[in-house]
Amino acid sequence: MLINNEFQYDDKHFIIINNIKDNIYYYIDYDKRSVSNNMEFQHLHPFYEILILLAPNASHLIEGTPYNIHAGDMVLLAPSILHKSIYYKGDASKRIVIDFMFPFNNPETKEAYDTILAPFYQDVPIMRFDFDDRKKLSDILNKIYVFADTHNYYDNPADEFHIHTLFQEFLYTLYELSPRNKYSDDQTYTSIEHKIYEIASYIHNNYDKDLSLESLAQMYYLSPSYLSREFKSITHFNLLNYIQLTRIKNAQYKLSSTNDKISAIAESCGFTSFSQFNRVFNKISGASPREYRNTVSHKFN
């Protein structure tokens, strides 16, 4: 079925290429999400992700900053970026999520990949195109959809390679169209909302530093009690808890994607005491850092 005469879509449809041993991974997920699916806190992962919204409206948090998105918008997420979608009350929202990774560091292709993946690293990595430009992208995705639906691609390396080739064409087209991006966030915020989101963004970009209620209040010219109250009201998280969650989510990523010593990871995530790191990590993750690493380490390596 075509949504808005553009994107091929069927509920609970998916395409998976899980060739992890060669660092090749695709998961294209066609499904609905509702307000009940909203995550409590942002998450991150070691692969790239594209969210294509097919519903009228939703919101997306990227490193603590919310952005309004509309039907056809594409949210581009590089690895290790904390984010989450926020869906609204009412009918479930149709969307396409594309997770992918492949060997980006081969000398013969690295420069090309660095170029075509540049849109993922923009300050606001959200794309909004007019119908004609969006159709160029949807036509390629629809080719992948139809091809995967009519071939046993999971048994045939040549079919996998064809999907990979089509998807690289999609990425190149996205890169080529990126100068015509029309996205602008139409959400309006009060002055205190704007300041709280600025503080949240600062936490995401400086979680390795010494952060406290008092230091942030002084930096942003607020009283500690006012900052504490407004931060909880706007983000629904206690400020200290938000800092700890941000640190632990990044620690989880480093535990699963690097061979760094656990003590070095603790320090790089802003913990001055290894015992405190262990205690907070266990409380949030339900496992010790070592147990967590043994369970998920190098899942995508």
Side-chain angles (χ1 to χ4, degrees), residues 61-169:
L61 266 178
I62 303 175
E63 296 288 14
T65 301
Y67 299 95
N68 265 8
I69 54 175
H70 304 315
D73 287 354
M74 301 183 183
V75 182
L76 313 182
L77 298 159
S80 80
I81 297 296
L82 275 166
H83 66 278
K84 75 169 186 174
S85 299
I86 302 171
Y87 299 101
Y88 303 141
K89 292 180 180 179
D91 294 338
S93 298
K94 294 182 173 68
R95 91 288 184 271
I96 303 170
V97 169
I98 306 170
D99 296 331
F100 68 96
M101 63 182 291
F102 28 89
F104 298 110
N105 292 319
N106 287 344
E108 62 273 19
T109 57
K110 183 181 186 307
E111 188 175 354
Y113 281 140
D114 287 347
T115 300
I116 65 173
L117 292 171
F120 287 79
Y121 295 93
Q122 296 181 127
D123 288 341
V124 180
I126 303 174
M127 296 290 167
R128 176 177 294 163
F129 301 114
D130 62 25
F131 179 84
D132 289 340
D133 284 345
R134 205 165 56 241
K135 190 76 164 50
K136 294 175 185 176
L137 292 161
S138 64
D139 283 349
I140 301 170
L141 278 187
N142 292 343
K143 285 181 184 178
I144 295 173
Y145 184 104
V146 172
F147 181 84
D149 206 37
T150 55
H151 291 72
N152 293 325
Y153 63 90
Y154 36 81
D155 290 329
N156 188 334
D159 288 346
E160 281 193 6
F161 183 77
H162 184 59
I163 290 173
H164 178 59
T165 301
L166 287 171
F167 189 72
Q168 287 185 109
E169 181 185 354

